[in-house]
Amino acid sequence: LSGSGITPSLRAAIIADLKSVDFDGNGRIDADELQALLGKYNDTFSEGEILELTEIFYTSTGAASVEIYRFMEALDAAASDKSTSGGGETADGEVSPLAVKGAFKTHPLGIGTCASEYMFTKTHGKYTEEDLNIEATHVPPVTFSDKTALFAVRCVRLVFDTATLWNFGSVTKNKILYRAIFLETIAAIPGMVAAIIRHFRSLRNMSRDGGMLNMFIEEANNERMHLLTFIRMKEPGYLFRAAVIGSQFGFGTFFLTAYIINPTWCHRFIGYIEEEAVHTYTKILNEFDNAEEGSELYEWKEEDAPKIAKGYWHLGEYGNVHDVMKAVRADEAEHRDVNHAVSGVPDDAVNPLYDPRAKLDGMLRKYVNDIMKKEASKQSA
């Protein structure tokens, strides 16, 4: 679809399709009937998507049903590439919820933004090969705030790399594990700090958060899962643990203070930190790929992944350490993109990465595209 809208013949086909799942014949569509409708298009919608979309529909409408004519209004808007999400649009017609400050507006289907307050789909775990093909990207700094964030990250990296001799000598199993374990004990702090501050602000102001609180909690837990995986490969000593405690106290205090003062700077800072994390794990994977047969790294990368890693990332029965590193890098790339995306987003905006209205818009477009293809194939037959 590209702004063409719905033709009369296609409209008739869609209405007939909607009526076919209107099991009680009341001219309305409820969540169960929406699930049945999407189930007819299982080549377009996966089972997981169907369950998520129907749950969004059910919760956001307060378990109510929607008149068929309102479905058609929403489909008309989707087919015409009009924003139904209260946000602005990009050049290619995609909705950008970032464009409107405090845009708690209502979708034509009656889908508001309430669901974003308690629904968030975890994206970590089931990666495809395409998902694991990560590129090292960089967001150029624009503002003075961005430039100071990037400068701070580069200073921290230089000091840490020098102190740990990361760029001196060969890369060994111990060097990788010490670095990964230490960094993951710190990496889980920002997401939890952001979530706690947003949580208390929501309580204090008696207002919505917009859904980012849940996303940051999940990010913090994801970093913790990295840690729980790596400590199955190496048990840190007392001196190492003491260094972790000191670093957590220092960085935790700094980041808590900074986030209270300037969340925009903090998210840009973490975005740049995660860019460096992607570089680190890419270097580790390159060392694995270039390791000579029989060497320490060659043998280690083929070792079985810890049980917790196989379960969390769905690595399969024969998942190995190499698979773990690829999954961790994909996680870090996602954190990179998330933090860059939310840097500067107004406090009262809906989570731009999990807006129920935008998800419903996507569902409507996919549905119209699919039924249009089927109608075209019928006419040509």
Side-chain angles (χ1 to χ4, degrees), residues 172-186:
T172 64
K173 175 182 176 181
N174 273 344
K175 190 181 282 189
I176 290 171
L177 284 174
Y178 276 129
R179 183 183 185 86
I181 291 172
F182 184 85
L183 290 177
E184 297 299 349
T185 64
I186 305 301

Side-chain angles (χ1 to χ4, degrees), residues 82-104:
K82 293 178 182 176
S83 169
T84 61
S85 302
E89 296 177 36
T90 59
D92 57 2
E94 289 299 316
V95 174
S96 174
L98 294 175
V100 175
K101 178 179 173 62
F104 293 110

Side-chain angles (χ1 to χ4, degrees), residues 47-293:
E47 184 177 349
E49 286 178 312
I50 292 172
L51 291 175
E52 180 188 10
L53 290 166
T54 52
E55 180 68 11
I56 290 174
F57 181 85
Y58 179 86
T59 57
S60 297
T61 59
S65 56
V66 174
E67 298 91 339
I68 287 179
Y69 81 84
R70 286 179 60 193
F71 245 95
M72 290 307 306
E73 288 179 359
L75 289 167
D76 274 329
S80 301
D81 282 339
K82 293 178 182 176
S83 169
T84 61
S85 302
E89 296 177 36
T90 59
D92 57 2
E94 289 299 316
V95 174
S96 174
L98 294 175
V100 175
K101 178 179 173 62
F104 293 110
K105 297 185 179 179
T106 303
H107 192 280
L109 291 181
I111 304 298
T113 59
C114 295
S116 65
E117 295 299 317
Y118 50 88
M119 288 184 67
F120 180 72
T121 301
K122 182 177 75 67
T123 53
H124 309 287
K126 295 183 179 180
Y127 287 122
T128 64
E129 282 301 316
E130 184 179 359
D131 294 331
L132 294 171
N133 186 21
I134 301 298
E135 292 185 11
T137 60
H138 174 62
V139 174
V142 176
T143 65
F144 176 75
S145 177
D146 293 345
K147 292 174 182 177
T148 59
L150 180 58
F151 178 75
V153 168
R154 286 179 172 170
C155 288
V156 170
R157 169 119 202 190
L158 177 63
V159 171
F160 187 72
D161 285 355
T162 302
T164 59
L165 304 178
W166 179 246
N167 293 319
F168 298 93
S170 59
V171 176
T172 64
K173 175 182 176 181
N174 273 344
K175 190 181 282 189
I176 290 171
L177 284 174
Y178 276 129
R179 183 183 185 86
I181 291 172
F182 184 85
L183 290 177
E184 297 299 349
T185 64
I186 305 301
I189 293 174
M192 190 57 68
V193 167
I196 289 172
I197 298 245
R198 296 185 72 92
H199 177 71
F200 275 98
R201 182 171 57 219
S202 178
L203 297 178
R204 183 172 62 252
N205 297 336
M206 303 181 193
S207 61
R208 298 184 190 180
D209 165 69
M212 284 189 272
L213 187 159
N214 302 317
M215 179 173 67
F216 294 140
I217 289 177
E218 200 281 326
E219 178 181 308
N221 190 57
N222 175 250
E223 298 285 12
R224 189 177 67 92
M225 293 304 298
H226 296 176
L227 172 64
L228 295 181
T229 294
F230 289 132
I231 61 172
R232 300 299 300 172
M233 304 180 199
K234 186 173 187 63
E235 183 67 26
Y238 291 115
L239 185 60
F240 187 93
R241 290 174 181 273
V244 166
I245 293 172
S247 299
Q248 281 191 339
F249 178 78
F251 180 74
T253 302
F254 159 75
F255 196 81
L256 175 64
T257 305
Y259 201 90
I260 292 172
I261 297 171
N262 193 341
T264 295
W265 185 91
C266 288
H267 286 298
R268 186 67 72 201
F269 175 79
I270 297 303
Y272 288 135
I273 285 283
E274 298 294 0
E275 287 182 8
E276 297 300 325
V278 170
H279 284 297
T280 293
Y281 285 106
T282 297
K283 179 175 179 177
I284 292 170
L285 287 167
N286 288 339
E287 292 289 339
F288 279 173
D289 294 339
N290 296 324
E292 295 183 4
E293 188 171 352

